[in-house]
Amino acid sequence: MKEIKLSLVYVILAASMWGTTGVSIRILSQFHFSTVQIVVAKLIMADIFLTGFLLLTDRKKLKIERKDIKWFLGTGILSMLFFNVCYSITVQQTSLSIAAVLLYTSPVFVMLFSIPIFREKITRYKLVAILLSVAGCALVSGIFSSDIGQITKKGLGFGVCAAIGYAFYSIFARILLKKYHSLTIISYTFLIASVGGVFIGNVPGIIEICIKTPIAIGAVIGSALICSVLPYVLYTKALINMEASRASVIASVEPVVATMIGVFVFSEKITVSAVFGIACVLVAIGILNVKQN
C-alpha cells in the first residue's frame, strides 16, 4: 500500500513538472530557438546529465543486453522523439488547446495497448476515469470556446500520432522495468532520442545560439532538468508499482498545473469551463485512487 501511495505522488509530481513545459518554451523561445531546436536541445542536455551521472556513480546501470535494444528504441525513437516532433507539428497546425486535448487522448491508447500486453482489465472505473480526464483536459484547454475550424487533417493526424507516441512510453518502459533500473531506462531513452534528434534539430544552430548568448545554456539546463529528467525519472519509477493505464490518467493533471501557472504567474484569466475541467481531472484521479485502495 505504501508503494502504491508513493507511486501516486511520483506521477502527480512528474505531471506537475511537465506542466511547466509551456513556461520553459516561452523562455527558450526568447533566445530564438526554433520549436524543434528546443526539443532537441533539451533531449541532448538531459542525456548528458543522466549518462554523466551514471558514469560517475554506477556504471553497471549502463549495461544492457543486445536483445533489449528494440525496447529502448521504442522509448527513445517511437516515444520520446516521435511524440515531441509530432506534438510540435500539431501545435503549428492547430491551436494550443486543440493540441493539448489531442495529446491527452493518450490514456485511451495506453489502456488499449495494456489489454493484450499486460493483461490489464477494462473496468467501469477506468472507463469513467478516462472519459473524465479527457473531458477535463478539453474544458481546461478551452477547446469548446475555440474555433473548431482550426483543426486540419494534418493537425488531427499528427495530434493523434503524438498521443500514441506519448502512450508508447508507458508501455515500453513498463516492459523494461522487469529487468532494468529506472535510471537505466531513462538514460538510454534520452541517448537514443538525442541521436535521432541530431538529424532533425539543426544542432550547429543550437550551438551558435549558446555561444552568442551563454545565458541560454543555463535556460536549457534548467528546462532539461525540470521538464525532462526529473519528471521522467519519477514517472518511470511509479510504473514499477502502478498500472500503465492508471498512471496515464493521473498524469492528465499536467494541463491543470499548466493552467494554474498561467493564472498565478502570468495573470491569465481562468474560465468557468476551466474550473469544471480541473474538477473533472481531480475526480478521475480520486476514482482510480479510491478504487485501488
Side-chain angles (χ1 to χ4, degrees):
M1 189 62 68
K2 182 180 178 181
E3 289 78 8
I4 293 174
K5 289 182 178 179
L6 276 175
S7 295
L8 175 65
V9 173
Y10 291 155
V11 175
I12 292 176
L13 284 174
S16 299
M17 291 181 190
W18 282 324
T20 66
T21 300
V23 178
S24 73
I25 290 175
R26 289 189 181 186
I27 294 173
L28 292 173
S29 294
Q30 294 177 358
F31 298 105
H32 305 294
F33 288 112
S34 69
T35 303
V36 176
Q37 283 180 322
I38 290 173
V39 170
V40 175
K42 286 164 62 177
L43 288 174
I44 293 174
M45 189 58 68
D47 174 54
I48 291 173
F49 269 112
L50 286 164
T51 304
F53 176 76
L54 290 180
L55 282 172
L56 292 172
T57 59
D58 191 352
R59 296 188 179 187
K60 290 181 180 179
K61 286 188 174 68
L62 289 173
K63 293 182 179 180
I64 62 172
E65 294 183 22
R66 203 174 281 181
K67 64 179 182 180
D68 295 322
I69 291 177
K70 59 181 180 292
W71 302 121
F72 286 105
L73 287 171
T75 59
I77 301 297
L78 290 182
S79 179
M80 188 72 70
L81 185 61
F82 179 70
F83 144 64
N84 277 290
V85 172
C86 286
Y87 187 68
S88 297
I89 295 173
T90 306
V91 168
Q92 294 170 354
Q93 292 291 317
T94 68
S95 66
L96 285 171
S97 59
I98 292 172
V101 173
L102 289 173
L103 177 62
Y104 276 91
T105 59
S106 62
V108 177
F109 295 107
V110 173
M111 183 181 69
L112 292 175
F113 294 150
S114 296
I115 294 169
I117 297 173
F118 302 120
R119 306 297 181 185
E120 290 186 13
K121 296 179 180 179
I122 299 179
T123 66
R124 61 179 181 275
Y125 296 98
K126 285 183 181 179
L127 288 174
V128 170
I130 287 173
L131 289 174
L132 280 172
S133 67
V134 173
C137 290
L139 288 167
V140 168
S141 65
I143 188 174
F144 296 117
S145 61
S146 301
D147 181 8
I148 200 69
Q150 292 181 40
I151 300 179
T152 63
K153 289 183 179 179
K154 186 176 181 180
L156 178 62
F158 277 100
V160 172
C161 286
I164 293 173
Y166 194 62
F168 275 151
Y169 185 81
S170 295
I171 303 301
F172 291 128
R174 196 171 176 203
I175 292 172
L176 288 166
L177 280 168
K178 294 176 181 179
K179 187 183 294 186
Y180 299 103
H181 192 276
S182 57
L183 287 177
T184 304
I185 298 169
I186 297 297
S187 180
Y188 276 97
T189 294
F190 281 115
L191 172 61
I192 293 171
S194 299
V195 172
V198 168
F199 296 98
I200 61 172
N202 184 19
V203 175
I206 295 174
I207 295 172
E208 183 180 351
I209 292 173
C210 290
I211 292 174
K212 289 182 178 179
T213 316
I215 195 173
I217 300 174
V220 172
I221 291 173
S223 181
L225 281 173
I226 297 172
C227 302
S228 297
V229 176
L230 294 177
Y232 271 102
V233 168
L234 290 169
Y235 188 79
T236 305
K237 195 172 182 63
L239 288 174
I240 297 173
N241 298 300
M242 182 180 285
E243 291 180 339
S245 56
R246 184 167 174 252
S248 65
V249 173
I250 296 172
S252 60
V253 75
E254 177 186 341
V256 172
V257 173
T259 299
M260 300 312 294
I261 288 174
V263 172
F264 292 108
V265 178
F266 298 105
S267 300
E268 296 177 356
K269 293 182 179 179
I270 187 168
T271 62
V272 175
S273 64
V275 173
F276 278 111
I278 291 171
C280 285
V281 173
L282 294 177
V283 170
I285 294 171
I287 288 172
L288 289 176
N289 191 43
V290 170
K291 179 58 182 173
Q292 181 73 22
N293 289 335

